[in-house]
């Protein structure tokens, strides 16, 4: 019990430490040369320490907002590209273009990687500083700031307005990234932002505008922070799921009908009943019939609230599946005896022994599982984010 309590305290402390970095005050004075501080941040990025880099990037954003500029100040240090812009007159929107070496407002750049369109709704004035900062990680093990999957080209784009907390915009901010690295068929881009409060990535308030084959990815978001494109495995659409459901139902139904016809032919044919090999085949067919009979209605049973019916369905599915595997293995043993060890082979009560193995071993396994932990069978959440959806577990 003591070890358990110690472990809980350890995990709790680790969780708090992971997300407490943004609460720390910036130890670096913003009055010093901003280029020197960007070089320091760049060196931290090279170390690969997530907590340090998050804290330094957040402080860098603050320092960039506090810089005293008259109009535009582009800055570039290795893996960091930034531009500071201060509107002189009424703000009518701003477009920023950037490549790996520079970022410029209102002006195109060669080999553009990212372009940003800020709406008029920001209402930035002479007292506000608009900051654009693009970070490209020099190396990564596949997780940038704990990302659940790859960040496209290891790049995050940060946007902020000094003196304002921008969120809930009606006219969205558009961040467009050129597709310079091929996106394979198993990946799909998803626009996300890094939440400095929770130290997690989220897609709330962001839309991903992209179709396969397009040369750019556009993220439309209603707030300002650090954005990136997460490469995720695409999930099946509802239409595809419906098509797969019909294919499964039709395929399993045809299999069930053919298996039943096979068993009926065996029962009505006297010569077939006398053949030992045919009896082994029929046992396998019966196991497959049991599997199909219980598999076809399993989804409907899972949707019901009946615990007893769900328990029976899980037990029957597990048993019939194990019986199918057992009789497949016995088919191989039987063929070995027939084709390899042909002469002088006599096994007393041969079919009975096969039946004990084929039907008995699965029963023993299922019984042991029930005795050890009955809760193994029953309702479990299929999607942890939606606990109301349950399915059978075997």
């Amino acid at each position: 019990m003591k070890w358990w309590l110690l472990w809980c305290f350890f995990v709790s402390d680790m969780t708090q430490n992971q997300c407490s970095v943004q609460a720390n005050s910036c130890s670096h004075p913003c009055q010093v040369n901003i280029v020197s501080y960007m070089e320091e941040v760049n060196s931290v990025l090279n170390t690969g320490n997530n907590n340090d880099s998050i804290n330094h990037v957040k402080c860098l954003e603050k320092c960039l907002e506090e810089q005293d500029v008259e109009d535009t100040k582009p800055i570039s240090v290795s893996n960091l590209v930034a531009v500071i812009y201060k509107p002189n007159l009424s703000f009518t929107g701003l477009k920023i273009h950037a490549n790996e070496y520079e970022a410029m407002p209102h002006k195109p750049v060669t080999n553009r990687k990212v372009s940003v369109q800020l709406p008029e709704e920001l209402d930035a004035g002479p007292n506000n500083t608009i900051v654009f900062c693009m970070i490209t990680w020099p190396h990564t093990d596949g997780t940038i700031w704990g990302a659940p999957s790859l960040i496209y080209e290891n790049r995050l784009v940060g946007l902020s307005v000094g003196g304002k907390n921008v969120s809930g915009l009606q006219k969205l901010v558009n961040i467009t990234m050129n597709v310079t690295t091929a996106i394979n068929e198993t990946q799909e881009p998803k626009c996300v932002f890094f939440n400095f409060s929770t130290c997690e990535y989220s897609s709330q308030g962001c839309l991903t505008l992209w179709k396969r084959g397009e040369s750019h990815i556009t993220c439309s978001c209603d707030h300002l922070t650090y954005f990136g494109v997460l490469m995720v495995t695409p999930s099946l659409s509802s239409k595809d799921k419906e098509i797969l459901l019909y294919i499964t139902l039709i395929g399993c139904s045809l299999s069930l009908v053919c298996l039943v016809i096979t068993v009926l032919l065996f029962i009505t044919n006297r010569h077939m009943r006398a053949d030992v090999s045919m009896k082994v085949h029929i046992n396998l067919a019966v196991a497959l019939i049991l599997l199909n009979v219980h598999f076809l209605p399993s989804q409907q049973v899972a949707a019901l609230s009946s615990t007893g019916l769900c328990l029976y369905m899980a037990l029957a599915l597990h048993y019939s599946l194990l019986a199918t595997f057992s009789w497949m293995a016995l088919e191989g043993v039987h063929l070995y005896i027939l084709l390899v060890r042909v002469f002088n082979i006599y096994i007393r009560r041969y079919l009975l022994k096969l039946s004990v193995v084929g039907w008995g071993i699965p029963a023993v396994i299922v019984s042991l599982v029930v005795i050890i932990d009955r809760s193994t069978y029953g309702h479990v959440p299929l999607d942890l984010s939606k606990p109301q959806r349950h399915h059978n577990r075997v």
Side-chain angles (χ1 to χ4, degrees):
M1 184 65 181
K2 293 180 180 179
W3 284 104
W4 174 252
L5 289 174
L6 289 173
W7 173 253
C8 290
F9 287 130
F10 174 75
V11 172
S12 176
D13 289 341
M14 287 294 293
T15 303
Q16 291 175 358
N17 289 337
Q18 287 177 354
C19 284
S20 63
V21 343
Q22 83 283 350
N24 298 335
S25 60
C26 297
S27 59
H28 204 293
C30 294
Q31 289 77 15
V32 301
N33 188 283
I34 188 63
V35 176
S36 300
Y37 187 45
M38 289 181 69
E39 290 175 348
E40 180 182 333
V41 175
N42 183 70
S43 64
V44 173
L45 294 176
N46 280 285
T47 64
N49 187 299
N50 280 345
N51 285 354
D52 288 344
S53 62
I54 292 172
N55 192 34
H56 276 74
V57 167
K58 191 64 177 174
C59 291
L60 175 61
E61 182 182 68
K62 178 182 177 183
C63 290
L64 289 171
E65 290 176 1
E66 294 180 1
Q67 290 297 303
D68 186 17
V69 296
E70 293 182 1
D71 184 17
T72 302
K73 184 177 181 179
I75 314 170
S76 176
V77 174
S78 188
N79 304 302
L80 295 170
V81 176
V83 63
I84 307 170
Y85 177 80
K86 180 168 287 188
N88 293 324
L89 302 174
S90 60
F91 185 74
T92 59
L94 177 65
K95 193 162 188 177
I96 301 173
H97 304 278
N99 57 24
E100 294 177 342
Y101 310 104
E102 64 176 339
M104 293 297 294
H106 299 304
K107 296 180 181 179
V109 294
T110 58
N111 299 321
R112 185 185 63 189
K113 294 286 187 179
V114 174
S115 63
V116 173
Q117 179 67 55
L118 298 174
E120 183 181 352
E121 190 181 348
L122 288 181
D123 194 25
N127 295 327
N128 304 117
T129 302
I130 298 175
V131 173
F132 168 92
C133 184
M134 185 174 73
I135 307 174
T136 305
W137 265 254
H139 57 79
T140 177
D141 59 356
T143 56
I144 296 175
W145 292 352
S149 58
L150 295 175
I151 297 290
Y152 185 69
E153 294 189 338
N154 302 331
R155 182 177 294 117
L156 291 180
V157 175
L159 295 165
S160 65
V161 177
K164 285 192 173 187
N165 183 15
V166 180
S167 62
L169 295 173
Q170 297 298 317
K171 293 184 179 180
L172 303 182
V173 176
N174 290 324
I175 305 104
T176 302
M177 298 188 183
N178 287 358
V179 178
T180 56
T181 303
I183 301 174
N184 60 46
E185 294 294 330
T186 62
Q187 292 179 322
E188 185 174 292
K190 180 181 181 181
C191 295
V192 294
F193 69 92
F194 187 78
N195 190 326
F196 285 93
S197 299
T198 62
C199 295
E200 294 179 347
Y201 287 90
S202 173
S203 61
Q204 186 175 3
C206 287
L207 300 174
T208 305
L209 306 178
W210 178 81
K211 292 182 180 179
R212 193 165 295 279
E214 288 187 339
S215 60
H216 58 274
I217 305 165
T218 300
C219 298
S220 294
C221 302
D222 63 358
H223 57 286
L224 299 183
T225 183
Y226 275 82
F227 302 93
V229 175
L230 202 65
M231 305 308 296
V232 299
T233 302
S235 58
L236 291 175
S237 64
S238 57
K239 184 177 180 180
D240 291 336
K241 290 179 181 178
E242 185 178 2
I243 292 173
L244 289 175
L245 176 61
Y246 284 129
I247 291 174
T248 302
L249 292 175
I250 294 172
C252 290
S253 299
L254 289 175
S255 176
L256 180 60
V257 171
C258 293
L259 288 168
V260 171
I261 292 174
T262 301
V263 173
L264 292 176
L265 289 175
F266 171 78
I267 294 173
T268 56
N269 193 311
R270 184 179 301 176
H271 299 290
M272 287 185 180
R273 295 201 303 269
D275 187 359
V276 176
S277 296
M278 186 57 66
K279 292 179 180 178
V280 177
H281 298 334
I282 292 303
N283 276 278
L284 176 58
V286 172
L288 288 170
I289 288 174
L290 291 175
L291 181 60
N292 280 282
V293 165
H294 291 96
F295 176 75
L296 283 171
S298 60
Q299 186 174 1
Q300 287 72 25
V301 172
L304 301 176
S305 59
S306 175
T307 304
L309 189 58
C310 182
L311 176 63
Y312 163 76
M313 187 63 67
L315 286 168
L317 276 172
H318 193 192
Y319 176 76
S320 57
L321 187 61
L322 291 175
T324 300
F325 290 151
S326 298
W327 279 105
M328 284 181 179
L330 292 175
E331 283 272 13
V333 173
H334 181 66
L335 287 174
Y336 171 79
I337 294 173
L338 288 179
L339 300 177
V340 180
R341 304 190 63 183
V342 179
F343 301 103
N344 300 324
I345 294 299
Y346 173 74
I347 301 176
R348 188 182 179 190
R349 296 181 179 177
Y350 175 64
L351 188 62
L352 177 62
K353 293 178 179 178
L354 290 182
S355 299
V356 170
V357 174
W359 299 110
I361 290 180
V364 171
I365 294 174
V366 172
S367 300
L368 287 175
V369 174
V370 172
I371 293 172
I372 295 172
D373 186 9
R374 183 177 176 180
S375 63
T376 304
Y377 301 108
H379 284 102
V380 292
L382 183 62
D383 185 354
L384 294 178
S385 65
K386 299 177 181 179
Q388 72 275 11
R389 295 176 59 190
H390 294 84
H391 285 259
N392 285 331
R393 175 174 62 185
V394 176

